[in-house]
Amino acid sequence: MTEILYSNTVNVLLSREQVVRHWLKLEIEKNFTVHEKSYRIRLTDPTDFFFLYTKTIAEADYNLLVPFIPFKFNSFRLKAEQQLSIDFHTFPSILIELISETTDSSPSKRIEVTCHTLRANLSIVEPRKIRNITELNLELLPADDSEQKVYLASSLKQLQTDSAESVIIEKYGLPIQNIR
């Protein structure tokens, strides 16, 4: 069973070749099956259909205490590495709370996304006078081919729906819900 816990476009400090303010879509999904429980974080750019980074955090991996393996991008040791004091089931609600602190009218935190060749880092940072404090830092991976194809297909379908709705609005001068 998949349930979307959070889906919103957020203003981030995006670092690629240069650092700019940019709007990205951030989604958090809950995937609970009989055998596995996981949360999936997805970061997309509404203006770039090939910008798709994800991170899946499985319950079994969240608390796992395994030796550190450099350059292995997974959610192993997330609780230990980030020194998190929350359990797996509380993680998404706290993450959503942190994100909401970046979207207030006077935000106390900001979201920073740093893109690298094979990964992106999503950080929630609290600016301070002397130094910035990183509340959470997650490594996201670029989507694989199958994820990218599903995302491109759903984006194309949404564009077609939006285009059809705008034609109806132009033709009749009414919002789509007034026509139904």
Side-chain angles (χ1 to χ4, degrees), residues 3 11-12 29 32 45-46 49 58-59 61 67-69 82 88 112 125 130 132 137 140 152 154 160 171 179:
E3 176 186 351
N11 195 356
V12 303
E29 297 179 343
F32 280 21
D45 183 346
F49 294 116
E59 182 177 29
D61 299 338
F68 178 68
I69 303 168
Q82 298 285 322
F88 176 76
E112 296 180 0
V125 177
I130 295 178
N132 296 331
N137 183 24
L140 288 80
L152 287 171
S154 67
Q160 289 174 329
K171 188 173 183 178
I179 296 173

Side-chain angles (χ1 to χ4, degrees), residues 33-105:
T33 64
V34 174
H35 302 290
E36 184 179 63
K37 297 176 181 166
S38 65
Y39 297 108
R40 185 165 176 242
I41 299 164
R42 186 164 92 158
L43 195 61
T44 59
D45 183 346
T47 63
D48 179 0
F49 294 116
F50 295 98
F51 185 97
L52 173 59
Y53 289 92
T54 63
K55 179 168 188 73
T56 301
I57 303 168
E59 182 177 29
D61 299 338
Y62 182 81
N63 295 308
L64 192 61
L65 297 173
V66 296
F68 178 68
I69 303 168
F71 306 109
K72 183 160 173 111
F73 305 114
N74 55 31
S75 57
F76 292 160
R77 300 172 40 124
L78 179 65
K79 186 173 181 179
E81 284 177 358
Q82 298 285 322
Q83 299 176 353
L84 302 177
S85 59
I86 54 175
D87 66 359
F88 176 76
H89 297 286
T90 311
F91 179 75
S93 62
I94 298 297
L95 178 57
I96 292 167
E97 185 180 312
L98 286 172
I99 293 167
S100 71
E101 291 179 31
T102 69
T103 59
D104 294 340
S105 57

Side-chain angles (χ1 to χ4, degrees), residues 108-152:
S108 60
K109 296 177 177 49
R110 69 176 178 241
I111 298 175
E112 296 180 0
V113 176
T114 306
C115 295
H116 306 281
T117 305
L118 297 175
R119 70 188 190 316
N121 286 74
L122 182 142
S123 302
I124 298 178
V125 177
E126 182 177 355
R128 294 291 183 102
K129 288 181 183 178
I130 295 178
R131 70 181 193 104
N132 296 331
I133 298 173
T134 302
E135 292 269 348
L136 185 66
N137 183 24
L138 299 173
E139 281 190 357
L140 288 80
L141 298 176
D144 61 21
D145 285 345
S146 64
E147 283 178 306
Q148 190 72 50
K149 287 176 185 175
V150 168
Y151 174 65
L152 287 171

